[in-house]
Amino acid sequence: MQFMLVFKETTAEVARRDDPAAAPAYWGAWQAYMGAMYGSGSVVSGNALQAPRTATQVRMAGDKRHVQDGPFADTHEHLGGYVILETASLEDALKWAARAPCASAGSVEVRPVLPPPATA
Amino acid sequence: MSDAASVAERVARESYGRLVARLAWQWRDLAAAEDALADAFAAALRHWPGQGVPDAPEAWLAAAAQRRLLHHARHTRVTLDPRVTALLDDKEPEAPAREAVPDARLQLMFVCAHPAIAANVHAPLMLQAVLGLDAKVIASAFLVSPTAMAQRLVRAKAKIREAGLRFETPEARELPERMAAVLEAVYAAYTLGRHAPDSPVGDLREEALFLARLTPQLLPDQAEAWGLLALLLHAEARRAAQFDADGRFVPLAAQDPATWSDELIREAEAALWTAAGLRQPGPFQIEAAIQSAHAQRRATGQTPWRAIAELYGVLVHHHASLGARVGQAVARAEAGEPAAAAALLDAVADEAASYAPYWVARAHVLRLAGAPGRQAALQRAIGLTEDPRLRDYLVAQWV
């Protein structure tokens, strides 16, 4: 079964990326976590994402384009990255979710991947 | 909280298990017994504030739940037995005389750990059936989705009903095996208890400790029940010492024995002594003896690693769990055999790939052996660790 782990970080946790004192421990923990997951052979694909401020939002209102920078100002948790795992069960995916560095500084959403519809 | 509510809560805590066990035993239906008892508690909260708390609150609740079960039985025409229907009446409850509620909790624990029920449901079922814990709280502790946990519990209760699992102490010849399943479930509840969010029933760890104390009281001739109690009390004695004032993790070797609880260690040693007198060795007693050896540091200032390594050898011989083999390797390394320890770890490398304690142990053993690879092992341990305080400690060792 495939599951996507959606990593969400608090604003304070995201800020550790830019703090010279905290950045080594921050990246070290993520590197170790991703390394352990890859080492277990269950990763299908996955990426960390650049900071939320680098985001660009696009919406269409009728035929009008609305393009904005950054995440919505009112969000407390930001998308930090994702990984798709192949595991035997949801429980195995939850085990990996609980180990994520952001599980204690944000949250991890675990969702089953919807297989594409079978083509006739 | 009103007086009636606080009495209801106290009675709930003290008698829930006894009540649900007795009702489930009489009606051979755990789910119905739980529902009826929940209704009885709700009725108590409605009636007691106005009418006053009855003399025998537990008996009042038992009678109220009993009446609901009878009504339900009549309603669903499950039984047309005149002996049952004769008991039905529509009058409001009168306070029944004070009566002793027989202790059926142990039978209920044995049913929860029945071989017909999947092993991964034993502990959750016991926590819900004997202690009345909410499925959501149990799900968090066991790292399972609440929906899946609720389904598992419902299925297990249906199986108890359909298979008519007997609420009787099992035959003597199957007692050790059933006892082991009961104790495993209590142990799982304790170790996972620290992961449970706050629940109305209190701390899951304390609930498990309560069951661990209850079991040898009810079955005093079972050495392993005393062994499990001794093991959990030793763990409990050192629990506060695991973190310093700032919430930072303190490994066992760095803990000041003065911060361990004397009282709990004494209780643990007494339980272990009782177990030893019964002359039925078993894995929980050996694990308790290992913790008892660690506790010696209070008196001598030294940890007897040689003795601990030998105890782990016996444990692995009995019951070669991954945890036991990792513990054995660390003890051998500390006792001056780091090369032998590294070989022991190499032997379990494949099955321990995602087991964080293995990588912590590996980093430690490689350091004692003066061998390379400590950093890589620490990094793997960091990636596999769920507890953020332990992760911070490992990161500090690593960077």
Side-chain angles (χ1 to χ4, degrees):
Chain A
M1 303 164 80
Q2 291 197 354
F3 295 92
M4 182 187 255
L5 272 51
V6 181
F7 302 121
K8 300 171 184 178
E9 296 175 297
T10 59
T11 307
E13 183 69 2
V14 173
R16 293 179 66 209
R17 295 178 174 198
D18 301 323
D19 173 357
Y26 172 92
W27 290 117
W30 275 104
Q31 199 188 338
Y33 171 64
M34 294 306 286
M37 246 183 325
Y38 273 96
S40 74
S42 42
V43 177
V44 178
S45 65
N47 285 296
L49 300 173
Q50 289 196 24
R53 65 166 182 276
T54 63
T56 311
Q57 315 261 354
V58 177
R59 282 180 300 133
M60 295 296 292
D63 63 346
K64 301 282 186 289
R65 295 171 179 161
H66 285 266
V67 182
Q68 282 179 305
D69 284 330
F72 299 106
D74 58 358
T75 46
H76 297 295
E77 287 192 356
H78 306 275
L79 178 62
Y82 69 93
V83 67
I84 293 174
L85 298 181
E86 177 79 51
T87 58
S89 66
L90 169 62
E91 274 173 61
D92 289 346
L94 294 183
K95 276 199 190 93
W96 284 113
R99 293 165 172 156
C102 69
S104 52
S107 63
V108 183
E109 187 175 321
V110 181
R111 283 236 229 146
V113 169
L114 187 64
T119 45
Chain B
M1 195 187 297
S2 78
D3 188 38
S6 66
V7 171
E9 186 165 309
R10 182 178 56 76
V11 174
R13 193 180 169 85
E14 288 170 2
S15 24
Y16 182 91
R18 275 200 298 275
L19 288 167
V20 87
R22 184 173 75 156
L23 294 164
W25 194 8
Q26 284 171 327
W27 292 84
R28 295 283 193 273
D29 187 341
L30 179 55
E34 286 176 338
D35 289 347
L37 199 56
D39 286 350
F41 275 110
L45 286 176
R46 278 197 310 277
H47 291 292
W48 295 358
Q51 301 171 358
V53 176
D55 276 348
E58 193 172 316
W60 189 98
L61 288 162
Q66 194 70 279
R67 242 188 331 277
R68 273 169 181 74
L69 284 161
L70 287 164
H71 275 288
H72 180 72
R74 183 176 56 173
H75 188 70
T76 54
R77 300 191 176 279
V78 164
T79 174
L80 294 172
D81 183 338
R83 280 170 308 177
V84 171
T85 47
L87 293 169
L88 294 168
D89 63 50
D90 293 321
K91 286 191 302 232
E92 261 307 292
E94 287 179 26
R98 185 183 290 273
E99 56 171 294
V101 175
D103 202 319
R105 283 174 294 187
L106 195 66
Q107 278 94 330
L108 187 55
M109 282 160 80
F110 274 104
V111 167
C112 291
H114 194 283
I117 293 168
N120 68 348
V121 192
H122 290 174
L125 192 59
M126 205 182 277
L127 290 166
Q128 186 166 70
V130 183
L131 299 168
L133 286 182
D134 184 54
K136 283 199 202 74
V137 173
I138 299 171
S140 288
F142 287 76
L143 196 54
V144 173
S145 94
T147 309
M149 181 56 83
Q151 282 170 343
R152 258 179 227 178
L153 291 166
V154 167
R155 274 201 300 269
K157 286 174 206 169
K159 184 169 248 170
I160 291 174
R161 191 174 49 237
E162 285 152 22
L165 301 187
R166 286 149 47 129
F167 284 76
E168 281 147 39
T169 309
E171 300 289 321
R173 66 192 154 69
E174 56 174 70
L175 186 65
E177 190 190 327
R178 293 286 289 279
M179 188 78 213
V182 167
L183 298 176
E184 281 295 340
V186 174
Y187 179 72
Y190 179 87
T191 53
L192 291 164
R194 65 202 158 90
H195 298 304
D198 293 339
S199 75
V201 208
D203 193 325
L204 184 51
R205 211 178 25 72
E206 280 179 25
E207 302 289 343
L209 205 57
F210 171 80
L211 290 180
R213 282 197 169 103
L214 181 70
T215 315
Q217 268 171 27
L218 301 176
L219 279 173
D221 57 351
Q222 290 293 314
E224 276 292 88
W226 290 105
L228 173 67
L229 177 60
L231 174 64
L232 298 193
L233 289 168
H234 271 302
E236 197 63 6
R238 295 203 289 260
R239 205 166 53 83
Q242 284 190 306
F243 299 98
D244 68 11
D246 300 324
R248 281 186 303 245
F249 175 75
V250 184
L252 179 56
Q255 287 171 20
D256 174 0
T259 58
W260 300 341
S261 161
D262 263 331
E263 194 187 337
L264 288 168
I265 290 175
R266 272 201 302 273
E267 193 189 348
E269 295 294 291
L272 191 54
W273 185 250
T274 306
L278 291 163
R279 302 195 181 285
Q280 310 153 10
F284 282 124
Q285 291 166 81
I286 301 165
E287 287 195 60
I290 290 167
Q291 295 315 316
S292 172
H294 277 294
Q296 281 181 26
R297 185 152 66 88
R298 267 186 329 153
T300 64
Q302 303 289 318
T303 300
W305 285 111
R306 172 62 48 205
I308 290 173
E310 279 167 22
L311 284 167
Y312 269 117
V314 180
L315 182 61
V316 166
H317 182 72
H318 252 284
H319 179 72
S321 71
L322 201 48
R325 283 178 295 172
V326 168
Q328 182 186 25
V330 171
R332 293 278 295 270
E334 292 281 4
E337 301 175 75
L344 284 174
L345 289 174
D346 287 340
V348 296
D350 284 349
E351 60 189 291
S354 293
Y355 182 59
Y358 167 84
W359 295 98
V360 176
R362 189 171 181 86
H364 185 60
V365 167
L366 291 172
R367 188 175 61 83
L368 291 176
R374 173 172 180 259
Q375 293 301 97
L378 267 179
Q379 188 181 30
R380 181 59 70 92
I382 291 163
L384 292 169
T385 297
E386 191 187 313
D387 187 327
R389 297 169 297 183
L390 182 53
R391 188 188 307 122
D392 289 347
Y393 167 81
L394 294 169
V395 167
Q397 303 269 301
W398 177 62
V399 289

